[in-house]
Amino acid sequence: MTRKPFICGNWKLNHGLVETQAVLRAMAAEASTYSSVELAIAPVTPLLAAAAQVLQGSALGLAAQNVHHQDKGAFTGEWACHHLSELNVGYAIVGHSERRQYFGETSAAVGQKVRACLDNNLVPIACIGESLQEREAGQIWDVLKNQMDPITAAVQPDEAHRLVVAYEPVWAIGTGKTASAAQAQEVHAQLRSWLAGAFGEDVAERVRLQYGGSVKPSNALELLSEKDVDGALVGGASLQADTFLGIAAAAFELA
Ligand code: PGA
């Protein structure tokens, strides 16, 4: 089974309008070189419309960093999946560890967001990951399973191939500490076996599993070489075109 590698940049709370347009323009100019790799960037939400204009007709996709699960209603400060689709945003990152940690997003809420994405033709990039404390206490599999269960419960087997799961060990995010390729592969193999339990082997083989946490051009090739590492969710190294494209190039070399 070949899964199309998928590299998504998460800009978090970075880049204003001028930088967003400039960096996206530089990335879009090169994106079609890596045609066997799916590429997307998640800028700050208020700039998605401007970003969509820059990326019109390009091979670089757009992602949102978050989304609300309801379509409309009294939810001040939120936005819905259909608002993203209207702007040609194809993906939504849900359950990022920073959302869980700073904004109290629960695993149950992440499941609802995954469901809303699938109902609205958005690809959910559902994030899971353990903290260092949890890893050292030997709780990694319990923690990851508890985060995965509401995600798999929200998805029907016939649509599960559209799901993307990003494994992002919290201790590797923005710290410069990357999980070793073997550590990433160990977790990804376990995730795929849980997916097989939920949806059957054939479907599990189609689900793309991204690794995230200090991915950069210098370590991308090694991480992406692992059998079950199908892409990357990239923070810091996605802020500039050359480093993001360096990671795309590594994926392209392997695809
Ligand atoms: P990082 O962030 O690449 O800067 O570690 C990854 C993420 O939070 O998605």
Side-chain angles (χ1 to χ4, degrees):
M1 165 57 62
T2 51
R3 295 175 290 269
K4 188 171 188 180
F6 177 28
I7 311 295
C8 184
N10 172 12
W11 282 3
K12 310 189 181 185
L13 189 50
N14 293 292
H15 284 340
L17 175 62
V18 173
E19 280 165 307
T20 294
Q21 289 171 322
V23 176
L24 288 180
R25 234 174 246 127
M27 288 176 174
E30 302 287 325
S32 60
T33 317
Y34 309 107
S35 53
S36 52
V37 181
E38 206 166 302
L39 298 172
I41 290 287
V44 295
T45 305
L47 298 182
L48 278 170
Q53 259 185 344
V54 172
L55 296 184
Q56 231 171 25
S58 98
L60 181 60
L62 269 180
Q65 297 178 17
N66 180 33
V67 71
H68 191 69
H69 71 278
Q70 301 271 15
D71 279 348
K72 61 176 188 167
F75 303 106
T76 301
E78 297 291 319
W79 56 90
C81 292
H82 66 88
H83 296 119
L84 301 176
S85 314
E86 284 162 20
L87 295 174
N88 282 328
V89 174
Y91 314 83
I93 299 168
V94 299
H96 190 279
S97 62
E98 287 150 19
R99 303 270 344 145
R100 294 176 188 260
Q101 191 180 340
Y102 304 130
F103 304 98
E105 205 160 296
T106 63
S107 291
V110 175
Q112 290 178 308
K113 290 174 187 222
V114 166
R115 183 66 255 150
C117 285
L118 293 171
D119 284 340
N120 288 277
N121 261 323
L122 287 177
V123 172
I125 303 171
C127 303
I128 62 169
E130 83 288 358
S131 67
L132 187 58
Q133 210 181 12
E134 289 162 342
R135 181 173 268 262
E136 285 175 346
Q139 296 164 344
I140 174 169
W141 302 120
D142 287 343
V143 169
L144 294 178
K145 186 76 167 63
N146 286 337
Q147 294 177 347
M148 269 297 267
D149 280 348
I151 295 169
T152 50
V155 180
Q156 298 299 319
D158 64 348
E159 59 188 3
H161 62 277
R162 290 163 51 202
L163 177 69
V164 174
V165 178
Y167 168 56
E168 300 204 302
V170 178
W171 47 272
I173 295 179
T175 57
K177 281 188 206 144
T178 322
S180 68
Q183 280 173 322
Q185 171 57 28
E186 182 192 22
V187 172
H188 284 219
Q190 181 60 61
L191 299 183
R192 203 170 306 283
S193 101
W194 286 335
L195 289 165
F199 305 122
E201 296 239 342
D202 290 353
V203 174
E205 282 299 312
R206 298 176 65 190
V207 177
R208 289 176 300 176
L209 303 176
Q210 291 179 323
Y211 168 79
S214 300
V215 178
K216 41 189 183 260
S218 59
N219 60 23
L221 197 61
E222 196 187 347
L223 286 159
L224 294 167
S225 300
E226 293 293 338
K227 176 172 159 289
D228 290 295
V229 178
D230 310 314
L233 185 55
V234 186
S238 74
L239 288 169
Q240 303 306 332
D242 58 343
T243 41
F244 180 71
L245 293 170
I247 296 166
F252 184 70
E253 199 177 318
L254 296 163

